[in-house]
Structures are given as structure tokens and as C-alpha cells.
């Protein structure tokens, strides 16, 4: 598992209001309930560009990485945790030296990223990166939460849109961090 968390990496300004409105017009995504939505956003959106630049400055993305897409995610109050999954085909990613990545940008405090062993709690402007074959799940939320999810692709791995690979036989024993 390769998770990198960068505190206060992106100035999100007043983006929460704009993105929350957009997300609420989005479609439901896989979840035990219908309380999680997503909507695609433009790759040239200013916040997406700032996030990608922040990753470049921190030497997270390499020359063979590129921005593959971005979505805004919204979890309504009472949203349950997703099933454990990966965002890229694990058979195609596991042996790669340069892997595709997922990125979460917190637009508000108390944004969470859940792995089987650790729950990362993020605040507004924090940027979290994880390898495309890292097992994770969308967190449960008692209060509404809106955040961005970006895909940092590589040319050697094709990522079908809106596809995840479920991981069975995992028990949630994550610890807050």
C-alpha cells in the first residue's frame, strides 16, 4: 500500500459550494445505499489543474503520468461505506514500476479515505494519493461530504470509465490516522 498525504496542498477557496451543486446533479454510484453521487468535471478545471501541479511539485507524478479524468463525489448524511475495491485492474497494475494513481482532494474538513488498515482523515485542501491497485472503500459519513477524485493514468494501463474491481474476504479493521 502506497498512500501519500499532503496537508494543505491546494487552496480550494470557495470551491465547495460550486462542486457540491454539481455533485448533487450527478448519478448514484455503487454503494450499499443510494447516498453517494458523482459527476464528471473538466480536466482543465482550475482546482483540478492546481491539484495536478501540486503533485508535480512534490514529485509524485512522473513524466509518464497524465490526468486521466476527474469527478466530484458527494456523500449524503448517513451514507454507508462502500465495498472494498481497487480503481484499476489489479492484474495489469500489480507488477508495474510506474503505477496509475487515484487522488482525493478534500474540499472540506473531516473528509476520509478508508483502507483495510488505516482511516486517513483529511482537512480542506489536503491531497491524498494512492496507487491504482491499493484496496480502499468510500467512507461512511454521518454528515454530508463533498470531495474530488482524480485519476492519474499511465499509457501502459487502460482504465475503463466507471469501473472498479471488488475485493472479497476483507474485514474492516481500519484505525484512524
Amino acid at each position: 500500500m502506497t498512500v501519500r498525504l499532503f496537508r494543505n496542498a491546494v487552496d480550494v477557496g470557495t470551491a465547495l459550494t460550486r462542486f457540491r451543486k454539481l455533485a448533487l446533479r450527478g448519478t448514484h454510484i455503487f454503494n450499499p445505499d443510494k447516498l453517494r453521487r458523482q459527476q464528471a468535471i473538466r480536466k482543465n478545471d482550475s482546482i483540478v489543474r492546481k491539484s495536478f501541479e501540486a503533485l508535480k511539485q512534490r514529485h509524485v507524478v512522473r513524466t509518464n503520468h497524465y490526468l486521466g479524468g476527474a469527478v466530484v463525489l458527494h456523500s449524503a448524511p448517513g451514507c454507508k461505506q462502500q465495498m472494498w475495491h481497487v480503481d484499476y485492474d489489479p492484474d495489469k497494475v500489480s507488477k508495474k514500476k510506474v503505477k496509475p494513481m487515484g487522488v482525493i482532494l478534500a474540499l472540506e474538513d473531516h473528509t476520509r479515505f478508508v483502507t483495510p488498515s488505516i482511516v486517513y482523515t483529511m482537512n480542506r485542501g489536503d491531497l491524498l494519493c494512492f496507487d491504482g491497485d491499493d484496496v480502499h472503500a468510500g467512507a461512511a459519513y454521518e454528515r454530508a461530504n463533498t470531495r474530488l477524485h482524480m485519476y492519474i493514468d499511465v499509457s501502459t494501463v487502460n482504465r475503463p470509465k466507471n469501473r472498479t474491481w471488488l475485493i472479497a474476504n476483507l474485514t474492516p479493521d481500519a484505525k484512524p490516522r
Side-chain angles (χ1 to χ4, degrees), residues 58-77:
R58 289 161 176 80
H59 308 288
V60 174
V61 295
R62 300 181 185 174
T63 55
N64 42 357
H65 283 119
Y66 63 94
L67 182 60
V71 297
V72 56
L73 296 170
H74 177 78
S75 295

Side-chain angles (χ1 to χ4, degrees), residues 159-176:
R159 178 185 52 85
K161 285 187 178 182
N162 294 322
R163 170 81 200 275
T164 57
W165 286 259
L166 297 179
I167 307 298
N169 302 325
L170 282 180
T171 56
D173 59 351
K175 296 169 183 40

Side-chain angles (χ1 to χ4, degrees), residues 4-157:
R4 292 159 293 230
L5 176 58
F6 302 101
R7 298 286 183 190
N8 203 26
V10 178
D11 178 5
V12 298
T14 59
L16 175 60
T17 303
R18 174 171 63 99
F19 282 118
R20 180 165 283 163
K21 286 179 186 175
L22 184 60
L24 289 171
R25 293 194 311 254
T27 58
H28 296 285
I29 60 172
F30 86 96
N31 217 63
D33 50 38
K34 295 237 182 209
L35 297 177
R36 190 180 313 267
R37 293 178 171 269
Q38 84 173 17
Q39 177 66 42
I41 55 177
R42 296 183 329 271
K43 290 190 276 187
N44 66 350
D45 183 275
S46 62
I47 298 292
V48 173
R49 283 196 327 261
K50 283 182 189 178
S51 300
F52 194 72
E53 283 303 314
L55 294 173
K56 280 183 182 176
Q57 290 171 0
R58 289 161 176 80
H59 308 288
V60 174
V61 295
R62 300 181 185 174
T63 55
N64 42 357
H65 283 119
Y66 63 94
L67 182 60
V71 297
V72 56
L73 296 170
H74 177 78
S75 295
C79 180
K80 295 180 182 176
Q81 179 177 307
Q82 288 180 321
M83 295 173 62
W84 297 113
H85 65 276
V86 296
D87 291 343
Y88 294 81
D89 185 339
D91 293 330
K92 293 181 180 176
V93 174
S94 64
K95 292 182 176 60
K96 297 286 183 192
K97 286 185 181 180
V98 178
K99 295 183 178 192
M101 295 180 284
V103 176
I104 302 292
L105 172 64
L107 296 174
E108 57 187 301
D109 291 348
H110 310 294
T111 297
R112 292 189 312 281
F113 180 76
V114 180
T115 71
S117 59
I118 298 173
V119 176
Y120 295 87
T121 300
M122 302 164 52
N123 290 317
R124 175 187 156 118
D126 290 352
L127 200 56
L128 181 139
C129 307
F130 56 99
D131 284 344
D133 59 347
D134 284 344
V135 177
H136 64 283
Y141 284 96
E142 291 300 315
R143 296 185 349 198
N145 183 273
T146 304
R147 61 229 170 258
L148 297 189
H149 186 314
M150 292 160 272
Y151 299 92
I152 308 299
D153 291 340
V154 294
S155 61
T156 57
V157 178

